[in-house]
Amino acid sequence: MILTFCLSSGNAFADNFSIEFYNGTFNFELNESSKISFSEELSSESISNFYNKLNQSDYQSLLSSLLAYKEKHQLNDWIYYQLIRKTAQQISPKAENYHRYTLYKWFFLSKSGYDARLSIGNNRLIFIVKNNENINDIPFFNIEGNKYMCLNYHDYGKVDFEKDKIFPVNIKINEAVQSFSYKVTRMPDFKPESYSEKEVTFQYRQKSYHFQVKLNPEVENIFANYPGVDFESYFNIPLSHETYRSLIPLLKRNVSGMKQKKGIDYLMRFTRYAFLYQNDEDNFGKEKYLSPEQTLFSKYSDCDDRAALFFYLVKEIYNLPMIALLYPTHISMAVQFDKPFGKSIIYNGAKYSVCEPTPQEQDLRIGQIAEKLQNIDYQVVYQYNPADK
């Protein structure tokens, strides 16, 4: 629920907003002077005029509220950006004035210290931010030797920014110097009552196992426009608190009486057979990485989704060294045991045993590689070593 009302603050009027943001409430005040209209044609001059008016307004109260909320709730940059998006939506709804909505997002992200910039072309307002990570499915711009990722690419569909004539809007914001990170290392807290339960079942050695996993639909919204990050960032996206509590302790209890190899085998087969398989092209029409929580939530998932989920489960329950093996059309995992099983994968002097978390034509055991992959070159795209943490 969002409440809006006006109050008198000295001689100025301000709107107070209260936004439900996951398990918290973000309260902010928007001074009358910070309500800047924007109906002009896109140009460097019109954007500069908007910036100058907003910059001279009493925006500091709202900015302070944003930064205080970010610090209090330890928001990663991507989650903080979702807060800025919701705030801009309240000030200037996206459907009513997309350019004004984007300008407010850019202004408050920049004033929060991030090196965010704007460009224009073909009546498009391109919103970019400095980022030094390996992002593989959204366009970026090289400016002065730095890489800037496009934050609003999804709003324009399939646009070729290389061929379109894009012109930068040169506005210097002294505090806008930080790089933006897409790493999500902490999920926000959600209200316990906002979760629903999903029954997950699978069989292991003629015994059926049943789980009532708590899942939150807000996770889908968080990652709706999340880009294809590098494998280290992707594999280390955690579960939210309630989802973790509904699954991990039960898995730990189920494997507690097993030897290490059997316990890993249990987790491998849980990841392999407790969920329906479908490739991303058929499921989403494009390549899309699902976080472990999304994989639990989704009806279908593919090999990279299961690799990330298997990695997360093994890391949380056994915390063993692992490597991710990327083939031309597949990704698999290998785990370092006290002694290897099957044909070893040797990497940086250590021996790893393949643990295939995705259904294959054969019912593969630990240490077995699918026949179709045995003579195919692979690349180790991520190595996890607990000793490095």
Coordinates of all heavy atoms in Angstrom, one line a residue, residues 78 82 131 133-139 149-151 153-154 180-184 222-230 233-234 237 286-290:
W78 N 22.3 -3.3 -7.0 CA 21.2 -3.7 -7.9 C 19.9 -3.5 -7.1 O 18.9 -3.1 -7.6 CB 21.3 -5.1 -8.4 CG 20.1 -5.6 -9.2 CD1 19.2 -6.4 -8.9 CD2 19.8 -5.1 -10.5 NE1 18.3 -6.6 -9.9 CE2 18.6 -5.8 -10.9 CE3 20.4 -4.2 -11.4 CZ2 18.0 -5.6 -12.2 CZ3 19.8 -4.0 -12.7 CH2 18.6 -4.7 -13.0
Q82 N 16.6 -0.8 -7.5 CA 15.2 -1.1 -7.4 C 14.4 -0.1 -6.6 O 13.3 0.3 -6.8 CB 14.9 -2.5 -7.0 CG 15.7 -3.6 -7.7 CD 15.6 -3.5 -9.2 OE1 14.6 -3.4 -9.8 NE2 16.8 -3.4 -9.8
N131 N 30.5 0.5 -15.0 CA 30.6 -0.9 -14.5 C 31.8 -1.6 -15.0 O 32.0 -1.5 -16.2 CB 29.3 -1.6 -14.8 CG 29.3 -3.1 -14.5 OD1 29.8 -3.9 -15.3 ND2 28.9 -3.4 -13.3
E133 N 32.4 -4.9 -14.5 CA 32.2 -6.4 -14.5 C 31.9 -6.9 -15.9 O 31.7 -6.2 -16.8 CB 31.0 -6.7 -13.5 CG 31.3 -6.3 -12.1 CD 30.0 -6.2 -11.2 OE1 28.9 -6.1 -11.8 OE2 30.2 -6.1 -10.0
N134 N 31.9 -8.2 -16.0 CA 31.7 -8.9 -17.3 C 30.3 -9.2 -17.4 O 29.8 -10.2 -17.0 CB 32.6 -10.2 -17.3 CG 32.4 -10.9 -18.7 OD1 32.1 -10.3 -19.7 ND2 32.7 -12.2 -18.7
I135 N 29.5 -8.3 -18.1 CA 28.1 -8.5 -18.4 C 28.0 -8.8 -19.9 O 28.5 -8.1 -20.7 CB 27.3 -7.2 -18.0 CG1 27.7 -6.7 -16.6 CG2 25.8 -7.4 -18.2 CD1 27.4 -7.7 -15.5
N136 N 27.2 -9.9 -20.2 CA 27.3 -10.4 -21.5 C 26.1 -10.3 -22.4 O 26.1 -10.7 -23.5 CB 27.7 -11.9 -21.5 CG 26.6 -12.8 -20.7 OD1 25.4 -12.5 -20.8 ND2 27.1 -13.8 -20.0
D137 N 25.0 -9.7 -21.9 CA 23.8 -9.7 -22.8 C 23.1 -8.3 -22.9 O 22.0 -8.2 -23.3 CB 22.8 -10.7 -22.3 CG 22.3 -10.4 -20.9 OD1 22.8 -9.6 -20.2 OD2 21.3 -11.1 -20.5
I138 N 23.8 -7.2 -22.5 CA 23.3 -5.9 -22.7 C 24.4 -5.0 -23.3 O 25.6 -5.3 -23.0 CB 22.7 -5.2 -21.4 CG1 23.7 -5.3 -20.3 CG2 21.4 -6.0 -21.0 CD1 23.2 -4.5 -19.0
P139 N 24.0 -4.0 -24.1 CA 25.1 -3.2 -24.7 C 25.8 -2.3 -23.7 O 25.3 -2.0 -22.7 CB 24.3 -2.4 -25.8 CG 22.9 -2.3 -25.2 CD 22.7 -3.6 -24.5
M149 N 27.4 0.4 -18.8 CA 26.3 -0.5 -19.2 C 25.0 0.2 -19.3 O 24.8 1.2 -18.6 CB 26.2 -1.6 -18.1 CG 27.4 -2.4 -17.8 SD 28.3 -3.2 -19.3 CE 26.9 -4.2 -19.9
C150 N 24.2 -0.2 -20.2 CA 22.9 0.4 -20.4 C 21.9 -0.1 -19.5 O 21.5 -1.3 -19.5 CB 22.4 0.2 -21.9 SG 20.9 1.1 -22.3
L151 N 21.3 0.7 -18.6 CA 20.4 0.3 -17.6 C 19.0 0.2 -18.1 O 18.2 -0.5 -17.5 CB 20.4 1.3 -16.4 CG 21.5 1.1 -15.3 CD1 21.5 2.2 -14.4 CD2 21.3 -0.2 -14.6
Y153 N 18.0 -0.7 -21.4 CA 18.0 -1.3 -22.7 C 16.7 -2.1 -22.9 O 16.1 -2.1 -24.0 CB 19.2 -2.3 -22.8 CG 19.3 -3.0 -24.1 CD1 19.4 -2.4 -25.3 CD2 19.2 -4.4 -24.1 CE1 19.5 -3.1 -26.5 CE2 19.3 -5.1 -25.3 CZ 19.4 -4.4 -26.5 OH 19.5 -5.1 -27.7
H154 N 16.2 -2.7 -21.8 CA 15.0 -3.6 -22.0 C 13.8 -2.7 -22.3 O 12.8 -3.3 -22.9 CB 14.7 -4.3 -20.6 CG 14.6 -3.4 -19.5 ND1 15.7 -2.9 -18.8 CD2 13.5 -2.8 -18.9 CE1 15.3 -2.1 -17.8 NE2 14.0 -2.0 -17.8
F180 N 29.1 1.0 -10.6 CA 27.9 0.3 -10.2 C 28.2 -1.2 -10.3 O 28.8 -1.7 -11.2 CB 26.7 0.7 -11.1 CG 25.4 0.0 -10.8 CD1 24.5 0.6 -9.9 CD2 25.1 -1.2 -11.4 CE1 23.3 0.0 -9.6 CE2 23.8 -1.8 -11.1 CZ 23.0 -1.2 -10.2
S181 N 27.7 -2.0 -9.3 CA 27.9 -3.5 -9.4 C 26.6 -4.2 -9.5 O 25.6 -3.8 -8.8 CB 28.6 -3.9 -8.1 OG 28.7 -5.3 -8.1
Y182 N 26.6 -5.2 -10.3 CA 25.4 -6.1 -10.4 C 25.4 -7.3 -9.5 O 24.5 -8.1 -9.5 CB 25.3 -6.6 -11.9 CG 24.9 -5.6 -12.9 CD1 25.8 -4.9 -13.6 CD2 23.5 -5.3 -13.1 CE1 25.4 -3.9 -14.6 CE2 23.1 -4.4 -14.0 CZ 24.0 -3.7 -14.7 OH 23.6 -2.7 -15.7
K183 N 26.5 -7.4 -8.7 CA 26.5 -8.5 -7.7 C 25.4 -8.4 -6.7 O 25.2 -7.4 -6.1 CB 27.9 -8.5 -7.0 CG 29.1 -8.8 -7.9 CD 30.4 -8.8 -7.1 CE 31.6 -9.1 -8.0 NZ 31.6 -10.4 -8.6
V184 N 24.7 -9.5 -6.5 CA 23.7 -9.6 -5.4 C 24.2 -10.7 -4.4 O 24.2 -11.9 -4.7 CB 22.3 -10.1 -6.0 CG1 21.3 -10.2 -4.9 CG2 21.8 -9.0 -7.0
I222 N 12.6 -8.7 -8.8 CA 14.0 -8.3 -8.6 C 14.9 -8.6 -9.8 O 15.7 -7.8 -10.2 CB 14.6 -8.9 -7.3 CG1 13.9 -8.2 -6.1 CG2 16.1 -8.7 -7.2 CD1 14.3 -8.8 -4.8
F223 N 14.7 -9.8 -10.3 CA 15.6 -10.3 -11.4 C 14.9 -10.2 -12.8 O 15.5 -10.7 -13.8 CB 16.0 -11.7 -11.1 CG 16.9 -11.8 -9.9 CD1 16.4 -12.4 -8.8 CD2 18.2 -11.4 -10.0 CE1 17.3 -12.5 -7.7 CE2 19.0 -11.5 -8.9 CZ 18.6 -12.1 -7.7
A224 N 13.8 -9.4 -12.9 CA 13.1 -9.4 -14.2 C 14.0 -8.8 -15.3 O 14.0 -9.3 -16.4 CB 11.9 -8.5 -14.1
N225 N 14.8 -7.8 -15.0 CA 15.7 -7.2 -16.0 C 17.2 -7.4 -15.6 O 18.0 -6.6 -16.1 CB 15.4 -5.7 -16.2 CG 13.9 -5.5 -16.6 OD1 13.5 -6.1 -17.6 ND2 13.2 -4.6 -16.0
Y226 N 17.4 -8.4 -14.8 CA 18.8 -8.6 -14.4 C 19.6 -9.2 -15.6 O 19.2 -10.1 -16.3 CB 18.8 -9.6 -13.2 CG 20.1 -9.8 -12.5 CD1 20.6 -8.7 -11.7 CD2 20.8 -11.0 -12.5 CE1 21.8 -8.9 -11.0 CE2 21.9 -11.2 -11.8 CZ 22.4 -10.1 -11.1 OH 23.6 -10.3 -10.4
P227 N 20.8 -8.7 -15.8 CA 21.6 -9.1 -17.0 C 22.3 -10.4 -16.8 O 22.3 -11.0 -15.7 CB 22.5 -7.9 -17.2 CG 22.8 -7.4 -15.8 CD 21.5 -7.6 -15.0
G228 N 23.0 -10.8 -17.8 CA 23.8 -12.0 -17.7 C 25.1 -11.7 -17.1 O 26.1 -11.3 -17.8
V229 N 25.3 -11.9 -15.8 CA 26.5 -11.6 -15.1 C 27.5 -12.7 -15.3 O 27.2 -13.8 -15.8 CB 26.2 -11.3 -13.6 CG1 25.4 -10.1 -13.4 CG2 25.6 -12.5 -13.0
D230 N 28.7 -12.5 -14.8 CA 29.7 -13.5 -14.9 C 29.4 -14.7 -13.9 O 28.5 -14.5 -13.0 CB 31.1 -13.0 -14.5 CG 31.2 -12.4 -13.1 OD1 31.3 -13.2 -12.1 OD2 31.1 -11.2 -13.0
S233 N 29.6 -14.2 -10.0 CA 28.4 -13.4 -9.5 C 27.1 -14.2 -9.5 O 26.4 -14.2 -8.6 CB 28.3 -12.1 -10.3 OG 29.4 -11.3 -10.2
Y234 N 26.9 -14.9 -10.6 CA 25.7 -15.7 -10.8 C 25.6 -16.8 -9.7 O 24.5 -16.9 -9.1 CB 25.7 -16.2 -12.2 CG 24.5 -17.2 -12.5 CD1 23.2 -16.9 -12.1 CD2 24.8 -18.3 -13.3 CE1 22.2 -17.8 -12.4 CE2 23.8 -19.2 -13.6 CZ 22.5 -19.0 -13.1 OH 21.5 -19.8 -13.4
I237 N 24.6 -15.8 -5.9 CA 23.3 -15.2 -5.5 C 22.6 -16.1 -4.5 O 22.4 -17.3 -4.7 CB 22.4 -15.0 -6.7 CG1 23.0 -14.1 -7.8 CG2 21.0 -14.4 -6.3 CD1 22.2 -14.0 -9.1
K286 N 14.7 -16.7 -25.0 CA 16.1 -16.1 -25.0 C 16.9 -16.8 -23.9 O 16.3 -17.5 -23.0 CB 16.1 -14.6 -24.8 CG 15.5 -14.2 -23.5 CD 15.6 -12.7 -23.2 CE 15.0 -12.3 -21.9 NZ 15.2 -10.8 -21.6
E287 N 18.2 -16.6 -23.9 CA 19.0 -17.1 -22.8 C 18.7 -16.3 -21.5 O 18.7 -15.1 -21.5 CB 20.5 -17.0 -23.1 CG 21.4 -17.6 -22.1 CD 21.3 -19.1 -21.8 OE1 20.8 -19.8 -22.7 OE2 21.7 -19.5 -20.8
K288 N 18.5 -17.0 -20.4 CA 18.2 -16.3 -19.1 C 18.7 -17.1 -18.0 O 18.4 -18.3 -17.8 CB 16.7 -16.1 -19.0 CG 16.3 -15.4 -17.7 CD 14.8 -15.2 -17.7 CE 14.3 -14.6 -16.4 NZ 14.8 -13.2 -16.2
Y289 N 19.6 -16.5 -17.2 CA 20.0 -17.2 -16.0 C 19.0 -17.1 -14.8 O 18.6 -15.9 -14.5 CB 21.4 -16.6 -15.5 CG 22.6 -16.8 -16.4 CD1 23.7 -16.0 -16.2 CD2 22.6 -17.7 -17.4 CE1 24.8 -16.2 -17.0 CE2 23.7 -18.0 -18.1 CZ 24.8 -17.2 -17.9 OH 25.9 -17.4 -18.7
L290 N 18.7 -18.2 -14.2 CA 17.8 -18.2 -13.1 C 18.6 -18.3 -11.8 O 19.5 -19.1 -11.7 CB 16.8 -19.3 -13.1 CG 15.8 -19.3 -14.3 CD1 14.8 -20.5 -14.1 CD2 15.0 -18.0 -14.4

